[in-house]
Amino acid sequence: MKKLSLLITLLLAVLLLQNCKKDTITETATSNNTLFAVINDTTWSAVNIQASLTYSSATKTKVFTCTGTATNQEVTFNITANNTTNTASFPLQTFNDDGSTITFGYLRANSSGTYIPQGTVAAGSGSITFTAVDSVAHKCSGIFSCLAKHNNYDNNGNLISVTINEVQDGAFNNLPYTFISN
């Protein structure tokens, strides 16, 4: 009888251990911000955003334009897609700055509120990837980054320093845009 009760106890212990499972915790980083980036190692999130997609029937091109401002800083970008059709969509692809496909701008407001460019983004110094486009709701998502370089000269025109402004880890989430066809 002792052997039977020992066997039953062991069997119950095995069944209890089978039902014990390790807790699994999964975390996902998300943001409710529509347009944000890390600018010179500081997180920036746009408060005012304007975005549009314009189709030109004459050139068969689409230009996506976006401007976001906050905390006296402005980020702008324009992306041109060639050989396109007259739809409210945009290609899901990575656009690398080749000097003509993308233009970036990083600007800061001066004391009078005028936004001043903080350098030039040279060809090869930026990229934008469109990861989702909803052509019905006119919303898109993607990531971007760029590097703006500003040469500082003295009164004699001699280069004295170079200022680098990094706009890294940028993203736009469900960014609403207007569609214009002409």
Side-chain angles (χ1 to χ4, degrees):
M1 188 72 175
K2 274 185 163 181
K3 287 184 182 183
L4 183 60
S5 66
L6 182 61
L7 184 62
I8 292 174
T9 305
L10 286 174
L11 184 60
L12 287 174
V14 168
L15 288 174
L16 283 174
L17 289 175
Q18 286 287 341
N19 287 329
C20 292
K21 294 184 181 176
K22 187 176 181 181
D23 289 339
T24 302
I25 299 172
T26 303
E27 294 184 43
T28 304
T30 60
S31 175
N32 293 329
N33 298 332
T34 304
L35 178 65
F36 59 95
V38 176
I39 301 175
N40 297 325
D41 297 326
T42 302
T43 303
W44 170 87
S45 183
V47 175
N48 299 313
I49 305 168
Q50 295 178 333
S52 66
L53 176 61
T54 304
Y55 174 77
S56 170
S57 59
T59 59
K60 303 268 189 257
T61 59
K62 287 181 185 173
V63 177
F64 184 85
T65 303
C66 180
T67 301
T69 57
T71 61
N72 296 323
Q73 298 177 87
E74 182 176 275
V75 172
T76 65
F77 49 86
N78 300 305
I79 307 99
T80 302
N82 297 308
N83 301 317
T84 60
T85 58
N86 189 6
T87 64
S89 187
F90 203 74
L92 295 179
Q93 69 183 58
T94 297
F95 294 87
N96 291 308
D97 186 3
D98 61 4
S100 63
T101 304
I102 302 173
T103 57
F104 280 103
Y106 170 61
L107 303 91
R108 292 188 64 88
N110 63 14
S111 59
S112 65
T114 303
Y115 283 91
I116 309 295
Q118 298 300 299
T120 303
V121 179
S125 296
S127 68
I128 296 177
T129 301
F130 281 81
T131 57
V133 176
D134 183 340
S135 60
V136 176
H138 294 175
K139 292 183 177 185
C140 61
S141 298
I143 56 174
F144 65 94
S145 66
C146 70
L147 187 71
K149 183 173 88 171
H150 179 72
N151 293 331
N152 302 300
Y153 299 95
D154 65 13
N155 291 337
N156 297 323
N158 299 313
L159 180 66
I160 56 172
S161 67
V162 177
T163 303
I164 304 291
N165 289 291
E166 295 179 306
V167 178
Q168 301 296 317
D169 301 323
F172 45 100
N173 295 315
N174 291 315
L175 175 67
Y177 63 89
T178 58
F179 176 64
I180 304 160
S181 176
N182 49 6

